[in-house]
Amino acid sequence: MIHHEPSFEPDLLFLCAILRWFDRNLLQALSGYDERRIAALLSSELTIAVDDQPGAYRLHPDSQKQALAQLRSQRGHDESTLHRRVLVYFLRRTQESPGEQQPVEEACIYHLGELFLLIAARQDWRILSELVASARAIVPPYSRLQHWLAFYEGFVHIRTHAYEQGEALLTGLLQQPKLDSSLQVRVLNALGNSCWAKSDYDGAIMLYQQV
């Protein structure tokens, strides 16, 4: 007997495709589908368990690739909307217990980064600036997310030719004692780009060599 996988709503699969992981609670909060529908998806062959996160799943790579291709070809603008919805959800969770923040902060960093790539492709720096400002209003001051938000703010300044403001923000980040190593690389690269844009090629090369 051949068993056929049930079909699922495209918007549910699109949401799953842009998430690095998901569980029942996350999908219920973000999708609006009931527990029965979500349980059917999680028990289907479209999903696989995440090894180091009990109760968490992700789409099978082939399913994710297909869903992303469909999303981008049929509803391209929705990719940004979905990432923003997920980002807002996790940003609000940063206000909860500080002892459980690492997975929440990692999710924020990921979806903020994906939004950055989508926005940068259009060079719509006003949108990125507004996104950073709204995120800063939510994120607690002690969160390491503030470092990432400062980076994106400084990046916008540089791309809009406010070099002194951008360089001041980014240089200040390099002085932070607990700066993420991956963020440090981005900061150095952005400072190098700023020097290059001002024709300070020696300064740019010196910074690039530290990346």
Side-chain angles (χ1 to χ4, degrees):
M1 179 180 297
I2 298 175
H3 296 278
H4 295 283
E5 281 292 314
S7 60
F8 294 95
E9 292 77 6
D11 57 338
L12 179 57
L13 295 179
F14 294 160
L15 172 63
C16 292
I18 63 105
L19 289 165
R20 291 197 300 174
W21 61 268
F22 46 83
D23 57 20
R24 294 172 187 268
N25 292 335
L26 182 59
L27 290 185
Q28 281 187 280
L30 292 173
S31 74
Y33 286 98
D34 60 33
E35 185 174 352
R36 182 177 178 181
R37 194 65 179 146
I38 292 170
L41 174 63
L42 298 183
S43 63
S44 75
E45 292 183 358
L46 296 177
T47 63
I48 55 178
V50 177
D51 291 337
D52 57 350
Q53 286 184 258
Y57 299 81
R58 61 174 177 265
L59 283 185
H60 187 282
D62 290 341
S63 301
Q64 182 183 34
K65 183 178 179 180
Q66 181 177 358
L68 283 175
Q70 185 178 357
L71 169 63
R72 289 164 180 168
S73 65
Q74 298 179 5
R75 291 159 53 177
H77 293 294
D78 286 359
E79 185 174 4
S80 178
T81 302
L82 287 170
H83 278 294
R84 185 182 287 267
R85 185 196 307 172
V86 177
L87 176 63
V88 169
Y89 171 83
F90 280 111
L91 285 173
R92 288 173 178 163
R93 286 189 58 188
T94 63
Q95 299 174 339
E96 300 173 4
S97 173
E100 302 175 356
Q101 286 304 299
Q102 184 172 349
V104 173
E105 290 177 340
E106 291 294 338
C108 289
I109 290 168
Y110 173 73
H111 291 285
L112 187 60
E114 292 298 301
L115 278 167
F116 167 73
L117 293 175
L118 292 168
I119 294 169
R122 305 192 303 268
Q123 298 191 31
D124 196 340
W125 307 121
R126 179 185 60 83
I127 294 295
L128 182 58
S129 182
E130 291 173 354
L131 177 65
V132 168
S134 61
R136 276 195 152 173
I138 299 172
V139 175
Y142 57 78
S143 172
R144 67 190 178 103
L145 281 173
Q146 292 289 355
H147 292 165
W148 287 86
L149 294 171
F151 163 71
Y152 287 119
E153 182 180 352
F155 188 95
V156 169
H157 283 314
I158 288 171
R159 292 307 300 262
T160 54
H161 312 297
Y163 298 113
E164 288 188 9
Q165 289 175 273
E167 289 175 4
L169 272 170
L170 298 182
T171 301
L173 277 176
L174 290 178
Q175 298 170 1
Q176 296 297 317
K178 296 183 179 180
L179 190 67
D180 291 357
S181 58
S182 59
L183 179 55
Q184 181 178 345
V185 169
R186 288 170 171 78
V187 170
L188 290 168
N189 191 64
L191 284 169
N193 291 344
S194 183
C195 288
W196 194 274
K198 298 184 300 179
S199 301
D200 178 9
Y201 302 120
D202 291 338
I205 291 170
M206 182 182 69
L207 287 160
Y208 292 149
Q209 287 175 338
Q210 298 178 58
V211 173

